[in-house]
Amino acid sequence: MTAEEAIAIVEQLLPQGRLTKVQEIVFRQSWARQTYLDMAVESDRDFSYIKDIGY
């Protein structure tokens, strides 16, 4: 299964129907086994914010 396929399934199950931009970043990069620190650096966002979104 690809990240795209997984996101499509998740979005079908979500009450609001879509992941936010940051949720999608965290999902995709988690799928690629990146750390929250890597995600924060790559997305130019605060580490604690990315960690909260991932939680």
Side-chain angles (χ1 to χ4, degrees), residues 9-50:
I9 292 169
V10 168
E11 288 184 338
Q12 287 176 353
L13 299 172
L14 288 174
Q16 74 271 21
R18 300 273 315 157
L19 294 172
T20 66
K21 183 72 172 173
V22 177
Q23 287 172 328
E24 189 172 333
I25 289 168
V26 172
F27 189 97
R28 285 179 187 282
Q29 292 183 348
S30 294
W31 195 267
R33 298 178 183 246
Q34 291 189 349
T35 66
Y36 289 143
L37 182 57
D38 292 337
M39 293 176 207
V41 169
E42 288 182 24
S43 66
D44 198 31
R45 290 187 165 77
D46 187 69
F47 168 76
S48 61
Y49 177 63
I50 293 295

Side-chain angles (χ1 to χ4, degrees), residues 17 29 51 55:
Q29 292 183 348
K51 189 175 174 183
Y55 174 73

